[in-house]
């Protein structure tokens, strides 16, 4: 039977996972703000960054380095945005520690920091802020679409 991992309350099938380390996983995103926006999550369900053990925190940072270098090349980006929204008031919607890795390109957003508006799901709803150029409506992706991306990325590790 296929193994299912829990990301907060969400059930994540193996097909969405492209990277594994001792304490973390790399997941493709259900609603990326731009193409190539992926998540590094801890295998153990911990809500906040300071709940991580030293081993988990170290592994999360080292995994972020490895994954982000692959993501930047694969998506032909030239910069990266890293974000942890740590707690609900910081915009965290899934109470399970995760690092956002977002490939960035010149002129991908009219104002560079608008990416943080896109990461803020509540703000999008309240103010109807336009989404990133690559993903205009940010509808949840299909399982097949996510599996195809994860298959492609898995080969790069
Ligand atoms: P945050 O708002 O910082 O907690 O980020 C939550 C992230 O998890 C967003 O990028 C969502 O698109 C993503 N997300 C939510 N549910 C899933 C899921 N089932 N599979 C993959 N990513 C998800």
């Amino acid at each position: 039977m296929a193994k299912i991992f829990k990301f907060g309350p969400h059930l994540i099938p193996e097909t969405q996972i492209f990277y594994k380390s001792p304490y973390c996983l790399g997941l493709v995103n259900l609603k990326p703000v731009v193409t190539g926006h992926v998540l590094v999550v801890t295998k153990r369900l911990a809500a906040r960054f300071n709940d991580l053990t030293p081993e988990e925190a170290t592994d999360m940072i080292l995994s972020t380095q490895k994954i982000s270098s692959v993501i930047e090349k694969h998506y032909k980006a030239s910069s990266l945005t890293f974000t942890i929204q740590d707690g609900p008031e910081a915009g965290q919607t899934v109470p399970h520690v995760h690092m956002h890795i977002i490939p960035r390109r010149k002129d991908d957003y009219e104002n560079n920091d608008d990416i943080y508006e896109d990461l803020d799901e509540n703000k999008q709803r309240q103010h109807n802020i336009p989404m990133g150029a690559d993903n205009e409506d940010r509808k949840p992706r299909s399982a097949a679409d996510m599996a195809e991306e994860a298959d492609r990325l898995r080969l790069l590790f």
Side-chain angles (χ1 to χ4, degrees):
M1 206 174 73
K3 212 172 152 220
I4 299 277
F5 161 75
K6 277 191 89 180
F7 173 41
H10 306 291
L11 299 179
I12 306 290
E14 280 282 341
T15 51
Q16 238 179 287
I17 299 170
F18 62 87
Y19 168 95
K20 287 183 184 174
S21 66
Y23 296 98
C24 294
L25 299 172
L27 307 184
V28 296
N29 201 321
L30 182 68
K31 293 195 284 173
V33 296
V34 299
T35 303
H37 170 193
V38 299
L39 304 173
V40 186
V41 309
T42 49
K43 288 180 177 172
R44 183 177 70 88
L45 202 170
R48 299 289 307 275
F49 189 65
N50 279 311
D51 296 334
L52 300 184
T53 64
E55 291 78 14
E56 287 170 326
T58 304
D59 188 45
M60 174 166 264
I61 294 299
L62 295 178
S63 296
T64 298
Q65 269 195 327
K66 281 189 196 141
I67 294 173
S68 63
S69 119
V70 165
I71 290 289
E72 184 170 335
K73 279 195 205 88
H74 185 68
Y75 288 100
K76 299 185 173 38
S78 46
S79 296
L80 293 160
T81 293
F82 299 103
T83 304
I84 298 178
Q85 309 207 96
D86 191 34
E89 287 71 37
Q92 184 180 21
T93 56
V94 178
H96 186 152
V97 184
H98 53 284
M99 174 79 79
H100 294 258
I101 299 178
I102 308 175
R104 302 297 308 270
R105 294 186 200 89
K106 192 165 164 42
D107 299 330
D108 54 359
Y109 280 81
E110 198 174 320
N111 300 302
N112 207 301
D113 288 355
D114 284 353
I115 195 145
Y116 297 106
E117 303 280 353
D118 267 7
L119 280 168
D120 186 341
E121 304 226 355
N122 295 322
K123 213 162 196 173
Q124 283 172 28
R125 268 184 239 118
Q126 285 162 15
H127 302 298
N128 197 23
I129 288 164
M131 309 300 175
D134 283 356
N135 195 352
E136 303 232 313
D137 48 9
R138 270 190 89 206
K139 289 201 189 86
R141 299 157 78 197
S142 69
D145 192 19
M146 289 191 285
E148 183 280 319
E149 184 185 20
D151 285 348
R152 205 165 5 98
L153 292 177
R154 212 175 289 119
L155 298 174
L156 305 175
F157 293 92

